[in-house]
Amino acid sequence: MLLRGLSSRLSQVRANGTPSVARPSPALHRRNPSSALLGSFSALAPLRGSLLAGRPQMPGLLRAAATEAAPAPTEETFTYQAEVDRLMDIIVNSLYSNREVFLRELVSNASDALDKARFLSVTDPSVMAGREELEIRISADKDKGTLTIEDSGIGMSREQLLSNLGTIARSGTRKFMEAMAAKGDSNLIGQFGVGFYSAFLVADRVRVQSKNPEDPKQWLWEAAAGSHQYTIKEDTVSDLVRGTRITLFLKEDAAELADPVRITRLIKQYSQFIAFPIKVYSPKKEPRKVVDTEATKRKQEAADKKAAEKSEPSNPVDPVLKTEYDEVWDWRLENENKPIWTRSPKDVSETAYNDFFKATFGEFLDPLAHVHFNVEGTIEFSAILYLPGMAPFEQQNMMQRSKSIKLYVKRVFISDEFDEDLMPRYLSFVKGVVDSSDLPLNVSREILQESRIVRVIRKQLVRRSIEMMEELASKETGEDYKTFWEAFGRNIKYGVVEDTENREKLSKLLRFSSSKSEDNLTSLDEYVSRMKPTQKSIYYMAADSVQAARAAPFVEAMVAKGIEVLYLTEPIDEACVTNLAKYGDKDVQYDLVDVSKEGVTLDEEGDEEKAAAEAAAKELQPVVEFLKKSLGERVEKVTVSNRLLDSPCALVTSKFGWSANMERIMRSQAMGDVRAMEYMRGRKIMEINPKHDIITGIKTLLQEKDEDRARDLAELLYETSLITSGFQVDSPKDYASKVFTLMKIALGYDILSEAEEQQAQATAATPTVTSSAASGGGATSAPPRPAATPVDAEVVSEDDPWKKA
């Protein structure tokens, strides 16, 4: 009976595990035998010799009965809590959109362990005893389907393994779950230190071997994906002097990660700027010289033949060598590039900056300028920004992600898809790296949008970028800025439209052609320096090209009087200066005035000129009224102008509507809104030149009461001014017909005689009323029958039935 009870209790021991130890955390549960059972084993100790004599000894039972206090177990099994199971499921199934980040997470953890070892070695050099190197080694085994990441960092004891890898609750599980529930996403994982569990994205099973310098034993932690338990035991291998080795048993669909080439690519993408060496066990080709037997044989035969021809003895030739390559596996350093942004700018050469730019962004031209700065204070980050030497080929697509700003957190690459969060869209051409220690490793777009840190970083990046461009523009030669403007000038103009906060700074970077500088672009400051003393506005003319702007009737008198006019030749130019509205310093502000709009007056007009203009307007009042009556609703009003020199008239638009250039641009938009076009289209105002012969001729015709000819001239004058003012003619065919008529008159044709002949022909072609129809008493004549169309003759036989009919 006693033996049966002992056997039963032994079964319980085997089922429940070894004797218990103090539980490390309330969040973990472990299978342990009860204290009553241990008491029973102690009571059976005196009977060990008699009851078990002659029977095979059971090591586990003998150890359990040997002492009242049980020794440390060889293996312990722990069970996760329910909410931790849920968290693990989130990590594996929905936390990371890109599972390749597992390597970034594990390498970052290894780097932290190495940092800690280096820090502790300052006060305790014995930490480094036995292994001086601080490095990370990664190896893969395709046959076994494993990936191993080993570091020589500080390592972990048994208690640290429980705390760091087992007890997720201690790093904030409940807070994590609450935050995730509140935000509706799982982008907070980096704040709770569970990046290690990203290993289960690619591994069915994970084994961790770790050795801490203060612990004489090496420990082994192991868990399987989807399991509710993990185990910790003393490692029997004990080959680590210090550090941690993580072995991933890869899933079938992640077998490609056992390829050293793939691992190398991921390291260069995410971890190339880690401060410690990262070595990958990979193959390389080693050349060696061997004898080419066939080539040597042919050479010997040729030598023998030549010797025989000369009747000389044949001598052995030197062997022909060839190069063969052996595949040699060795540890290769994969993070040779150093993060130059962590160094002081005065310690980095210009060549180093240029080489870093080319290597990091795949460019082949040196940058036009760069700026390297460190921000310290409540928020700390480092950055290097570059102005590229040429525009990218895909620059036309402003909505496409440029991937120009690479975001790092503690020298670990996070992403290059946060451009719009770190830089405004108009500065998408600026390339650079940003390294912050205040952001979590798993930075997401939601975190960036809500983070105060990101707003500070963005503001600094924009300010430094503008300062970099200002410094480039201030250089004496100006060739580099000219190159920059040709490539990225449109972006700066777009920034004036979009960035109201920095609009004043950006306006100083603008460059345009002008009536005094058609070949070389001019800045607004240069324009202001050339203004006349009485000039109070900056004038501009928007057109398709410099030639079109120069030929516009609106600028004739201004250019003749020496008033400079800016020529805006790109589609975004007019929107840019319209949003700018004013330019100058705090003391003096100049309005930007469109010369194609109404109300433009020359600032230097004197009293005599104003009096002459009023007299001319009074004298031409009958012409003004006649033109308005003839053109009707096509023009809002007709006025006498003082800014026309060679043209008889021009069509200007109202102040608050689109100009002719803007109307043409908006009309060409594929997704343009017809209703908006009708609302924003400016009303046309005809300005006439009182000194032009055509206007004088219309005045003479009106005095002679020949309103028909005056009306014809008014129509042709209006349609011609549509073209010269930048508008589209409503009916090109009718306008062309009028021009052809004028051409015939110029050639000497009698237009009136031709018109009478055409009228007579039309009358003769009209059918007359027949006598029978006339006698019908009011009956209308039948419509004319169509003329018969001749057809080919057809031979009809005598017996054709149709002929008889």
Side-chain angles (χ1 to χ4, degrees):
M1 192 69 185
L2 181 59
L3 289 176
R4 196 162 46 241
L6 180 60
S7 177
S8 175
R9 293 180 185 275
L10 179 60
S11 301
Q12 294 180 19
V13 172
R14 290 175 175 172
N16 295 319
T18 53
S20 64
V21 293
R23 300 178 68 182
S25 170
L28 303 171
H29 300 284
R30 187 160 52 93
R31 298 178 183 174
N32 298 307
S34 65
S35 58
L37 180 60
L38 294 177
S40 300
F41 283 159
S42 301
L44 289 174
L47 300 177
R48 182 182 59 182
S50 59
L51 292 178
L52 302 179
R55 298 177 60 88
Q57 293 187 351
M58 302 178 185
L61 177 60
L62 293 180
R63 282 198 302 270
T67 57
E68 183 173 352
T74 57
E75 180 175 327
E76 298 170 285
T77 302
F78 298 88
T79 304
Y80 296 117
Q81 282 185 337
E83 69 171 3
V84 178
D85 278 343
R86 182 184 170 200
L87 178 59
M88 288 289 292
D89 180 68
I90 293 173
I91 292 173
V92 175
N93 296 317
S94 61
L95 182 61
Y96 292 94
S97 58
N98 180 12
R99 66 179 186 174
E100 290 180 348
V101 300
F102 85 94
L103 188 62
R104 181 193 75 186
E105 300 286 344
L106 297 182
V107 170
S108 299
N109 290 344
S111 176
D112 292 341
L114 292 167
D115 268 327
K116 189 173 182 181
R118 183 170 58 182
F119 176 77
L120 294 177
S121 67
V122 175
T123 56
D124 184 8
S126 63
V127 171
M128 307 296 291
R131 189 173 184 181
E132 298 293 333
E133 303 86 1
L134 291 174
E135 61 183 2
I136 302 171
R137 293 195 171 196
I138 303 175
S139 60
D141 190 330
K142 287 186 177 181
D143 297 333
K144 295 181 180 179
T146 60
L147 179 65
T148 303
I149 302 160
E150 180 179 335
D151 66 77
S152 57
I154 195 60
M156 291 176 281
S157 63
R158 173 183 174 279
E159 289 73 19
Q160 289 169 336
L161 282 172
L162 286 170
S163 176
N164 296 337
L165 303 185
T167 314
I168 308 178
R170 292 185 59 181
S171 61
T173 301
R174 187 175 299 278
K175 291 181 180 179
F176 170 81
M177 304 296 287
E178 292 174 355
M180 187 187 66
K183 292 185 174 294
D185 59 41
S186 54
N187 290 314
L188 304 171
I189 193 68
Q191 301 177 15
F192 299 93
V194 291
F196 164 78
Y197 290 95
S198 62
F200 289 103
L201 293 169
V202 298
D204 287 321
R205 183 160 54 96
V206 177
R207 177 188 297 160
V208 180
Q209 298 166 275
S210 193
K211 173 69 169 62
N212 187 279
E214 298 180 355
D215 192 336
K217 297 180 181 180
Q218 178 175 316
W219 295 94
L220 186 146
W221 181 100
E222 190 166 352
S227 174
H228 303 284
Q229 298 176 338
Y230 62 92
T231 62
I232 295 180
K233 66 179 180 180
E234 182 180 345
D235 194 358
T236 57
V237 178
S238 298
D239 60 340
L240 292 176
V241 177
R242 179 192 69 252
T244 302
R245 179 188 300 126
I246 301 176
T247 304
L248 308 181
F249 296 85
L250 299 173
K251 299 177 181 179
E252 291 184 3
D253 60 350
E256 72 275 3
L257 293 172
D259 184 4
V261 176
R262 181 75 177 275
I263 294 300
T264 298
R265 183 179 64 81
L266 293 178
I267 289 173
K268 291 187 179 297
Q269 179 178 355
Y270 292 106
S271 307
Q272 66 171 324
F273 296 114
I274 290 291
F276 301 98
I278 302 176
K279 298 179 180 179
V280 177
Y281 194 65
S282 57
K284 62 179 179 179
K285 300 294 184 180
E286 289 286 350
R288 63 184 177 89
K289 295 292 185 179
V290 297
V291 176
D292 189 340
T293 306
E294 294 295 329
T296 304
K297 182 179 178 181
R298 289 192 298 269
K299 184 178 179 181
Q300 185 65 54
E301 291 175 352
D304 293 344
K305 183 178 180 181
K306 187 175 182 180
E309 292 176 354
K310 295 181 179 182
S311 300
E312 296 178 353
S314 178
N315 296 320
V317 298
D318 294 331
V320 178
L321 301 179
K322 65 179 180 179
T323 303
E324 291 186 352
Y325 294 90
D326 296 330
E327 187 178 77
V328 178
W329 287 76
D330 199 0
W331 295 103
R332 290 176 52 185
L333 181 65
E334 300 297 348
N335 60 332
E336 296 178 331
N337 292 334
K338 301 303 179 184
I340 63 175
W341 64 80
T342 60
R343 298 158 57 186
S344 173
K346 63 182 180 181
D347 297 333
V348 185
S349 65
E350 192 75 15
T351 303
Y353 281 121
N354 294 345
D355 292 343
F356 178 80
F357 170 73
K358 293 176 183 177
T360 304
F361 299 100
E363 297 281 343
F364 57 90
L365 292 179
D366 289 339
L368 295 173
H370 69 268
V371 60
H372 179 187
F373 60 95
N374 301 306
V375 176
E376 298 179 353
T378 55
I379 297 174
E380 297 183 0
F381 70 92
S382 302
I384 301 179
L385 301 177
Y386 292 93
L387 292 181
M390 64 175 293
F393 294 109
E394 70 276 6
Q395 186 189 16
Q396 298 298 327
N397 188 358
M398 291 286 290
M399 302 303 295
Q400 184 176 352
R401 295 187 185 278
S402 65
K403 297 186 177 182
S404 296
I405 301 298
K406 296 183 180 294
L407 177 64
Y408 291 81
V409 173
K410 299 177 182 177
R411 289 176 292 191
V412 177
F413 175 68
I414 301 302
S415 178
D416 55 3
E417 296 185 353
F418 296 146
D419 283 0
E420 293 184 21
D421 301 288
L422 297 174
M423 276 285 201
R425 188 168 53 175
Y426 72 90
L427 289 178
S428 60
F429 62 90
V430 178
K431 296 181 181 294
V433 296
V434 179
D435 188 358
S436 171
S437 300
D438 299 316
L439 291 170
L441 274 178
N442 74 315
V443 168
S444 65
R445 187 164 302 281
E446 290 79 6
I447 292 177
L448 284 182
Q449 291 173 347
E450 298 174 5
S451 174
R452 182 179 66 89
I453 300 173
V454 174
R455 290 194 291 271
V456 173
I457 293 176
R458 177 189 172 100
K459 189 173 182 179
Q460 284 287 337
L461 294 182
V462 173
R463 183 171 71 86
R464 300 284 184 158
S465 298
I466 295 176
E467 290 176 355
M468 178 169 51
M469 291 182 280
E470 289 175 342
E471 183 178 354
L472 184 67
S474 64
K475 291 184 178 179
E476 294 181 0
T477 58
E479 290 299 322
D480 286 343
Y481 190 78
K482 183 178 180 181
T483 302
F484 163 78
W485 184 258
E486 290 175 354
F488 308 108
R490 294 183 184 90
N491 295 70
I492 304 303
K493 296 170 184 176
Y494 182 78
V496 172
V497 176
E498 186 181 61
D499 192 351
T500 56
E501 183 179 353
N502 296 292
R503 181 173 291 165
E504 183 178 351
K505 293 180 179 179
L506 292 173
S507 65
K508 297 184 179 298
L509 301 173
L510 295 173
R511 298 291 185 271
F512 302 103
S513 297
S514 75
S515 57
K516 292 185 178 181
S517 180
E518 292 186 4
D519 298 330
N520 297 319
L521 300 178
T522 183
S523 66
L524 294 179
D525 283 334
E526 293 171 340
Y527 180 99
V528 171
S529 67
R530 296 191 292 261
M531 289 173 58
K532 290 181 173 295
T534 58
Q535 188 174 340
K536 299 178 182 178
S537 303
I538 298 175
Y539 298 103
Y540 66 88
M541 173 66 204
D544 288 336
S545 62
V546 172
Q547 293 75 17
R550 186 199 310 130
F554 314 106
V555 303
E556 293 173 351
M558 288 185 172
V559 173
K561 293 184 178 182
I563 299 176
E564 188 173 6
V565 180
L566 296 175
Y567 295 155
L568 312 185
T569 58
E570 293 186 344
I572 196 174
D573 286 354
E574 188 172 356
C576 171
V577 297
T578 301
N579 281 271
L580 186 59
K582 293 179 179 292
Y583 181 79
D585 52 26
K586 295 181 180 179
D587 299 329
V588 181
Q589 292 281 324
Y590 299 99
D591 292 328
L592 286 142
V593 177
D594 186 352
V595 297
S596 68
K597 295 290 186 72
E598 67 170 325
V600 176
T601 57
L602 302 182
D603 298 326
E604 60 176 13
E605 286 183 354
D607 294 337
E608 295 181 1
E609 292 179 341
K610 291 181 180 179
E614 292 177 358
K618 185 176 181 181
E619 183 180 354
L620 291 175
Q621 186 63 28
V623 178
V624 169
E625 294 177 354
F626 174 78
L627 290 175
K628 177 63 179 80
K629 180 180 178 182
S630 300
L631 299 177
E633 295 297 323
R634 285 177 287 181
V635 295
E636 183 178 5
K637 61 182 177 179
V638 179
T639 61
V640 178
S641 175
N642 63 343
R643 55 172 164 166
L644 298 176
L645 192 64
D646 299 325
S647 301
C649 69
L651 291 175
V652 302
T653 53
S654 54
K655 289 184 178 181
F656 304 105
W658 284 338
S659 65
N661 180 69
M662 184 60 68
E663 182 177 330
R664 183 176 61 256
I665 293 172
M666 298 307 295
R667 190 189 297 271
S668 65
Q669 300 298 313
M671 302 297 291
D673 189 349
V674 178
R675 294 172 297 177
M677 290 186 62
E678 291 297 328
Y679 179 77
M680 291 300 298
R681 183 180 296 161
R683 296 298 300 272
K684 298 179 181 64
I685 300 169
M686 176 178 277
E687 292 188 0
I688 60 176
N689 182 359
K691 300 178 182 179
H692 201 275
D693 294 339
I694 294 179
I695 301 301
T696 305
I698 294 177
K699 177 183 175 183
T700 302
L701 290 176
L702 293 178
Q703 291 174 349
E704 296 174 355
K705 306 299 183 181
D706 192 352
E707 292 189 359
D708 291 338
R709 294 178 63 189
R711 188 174 295 106
D712 292 339
L713 286 176
E715 289 287 337
L716 187 59
L717 191 64
Y718 169 76
E719 292 178 348
T720 304
S721 63
L722 281 174
I723 298 175
T724 58
S725 301
F727 295 98
Q728 293 183 353
V729 178
D730 295 334
S731 178
K733 183 179 179 181
D734 293 343
Y735 176 72
S737 177
K738 295 173 185 176
V739 173
F740 296 153
T741 301
L742 290 176
M743 294 171 67
K744 287 183 178 181
I745 295 175
L747 292 173
Y749 287 89
D750 189 348
I751 303 301
L752 295 178
S753 299
E754 288 188 1
E756 291 176 356
E757 290 179 3
Q758 291 176 359
Q759 183 66 29
Q761 292 175 0
T763 303
T766 303
T768 56
V769 180
T770 61
S771 58
S772 59
S775 62
T780 60
S781 62
R785 299 179 61 184
T789 302
V791 296
D792 296 336
E794 181 181 2
V795 178
V796 182
S797 61
E798 293 295 334
D799 56 350
D800 192 323
W802 293 101
K803 181 179 179 181
K804 297 177 181 179

